[in-house]
Amino acid sequence: GPAAALLAYVLTRADWSRVAAYRHTVSWPWFAAFLLLIPLGHVISSAKWQMLLRAGGHRVGLCRLPGLYTVGQFYNAVFPSTIGGDVVRSLGLRKVIGDTRAAFASTVAERFTGAAVLVALGGVATLVALPGLMSTREGVIDGRLAALMAFAAMGAATLAIVAVLSDRALQL
């Protein structure tokens, strides 16, 4: 796929002597922690997905879902689409539960609840960081008010997205 071709291009063009010179600057414990956080994130997202499935009356073991989640992530990374992996996840889940609508609806709901969490985290980060970034030469703009307004706008957008998707998921 395109991602593999791009990776091959970058790897063949890299100056490996310069890359080797930077290996001493890597914090290996932090790098190892990063590598452990990826599967942990998949397990956490799979647990959320499992809760959504249970709410729909489907019981799927937590041991089964991270594998489907990881396969979906692979397809998202390798193929030129951001939803191709979700389709693959849904099709894999359909084979497990035998319900196409529930498989696709739970996958969409899991994806968009993750997006809502990212919006919320962005809002919190904005509330924390923006006041310090809003200073001017003439004085300080009330950054907390601006951050609160940005957070409220992000929250409203998230609610609108969830409302639209929930309505569409119910129609499936």
Side-chain angles (χ1 to χ4, degrees):
L6 182 60
L7 180 62
Y9 175 79
V10 169
L11 292 176
T12 59
R13 301 289 189 262
D15 181 352
W16 289 101
S17 61
R18 290 183 70 192
V19 171
Y22 282 100
R23 75 177 183 275
H24 300 293
T25 64
V26 174
S27 170
W28 293 107
W30 280 110
F31 185 71
F34 164 75
L35 291 178
L36 291 173
L37 285 175
I38 293 170
L40 178 63
H42 288 186
V43 170
I44 291 169
S45 293
S46 295
K48 178 178 58 167
W49 194 17
Q50 182 185 44
M51 285 189 264
L52 291 165
L53 285 162
R54 276 194 187 145
H58 296 281
R59 299 227 180 263
V60 180
L62 188 56
C63 294
R64 181 77 180 213
L65 294 174
L68 292 171
Y69 198 89
T70 302
V71 168
Q73 290 295 310
F74 171 79
Y75 277 89
N76 280 341
V78 173
F79 292 102
S81 168
T82 58
I83 62 167
D86 294 334
V87 171
V88 170
R89 269 198 306 158
S90 297
L91 292 172
L93 180 61
R94 180 187 68 179
K95 290 179 183 176
V96 174
I97 65 174
D99 184 344
T100 302
R101 288 181 179 171
F104 278 89
S106 67
T107 303
V108 169
E110 189 282 323
R111 173 64 94 110
F112 282 100
T113 56
V117 168
L118 284 177
V119 169
L121 287 173
V124 170
T126 301
L127 286 172
V128 171
L130 191 62
L133 300 174
M134 293 293 289
S135 57
T136 65
R137 289 184 184 186
E138 293 81 31
V140 175
I141 298 170
D142 189 356
R144 289 204 170 98
L145 178 60
L148 186 60
M149 290 171 54
F151 187 57
M154 286 186 280
T158 300
L159 289 175
I161 290 169
V162 169
V164 167
L165 292 174
S166 296
D167 187 44
R168 287 190 183 156
L170 290 175
Q171 291 175 2
L172 292 175

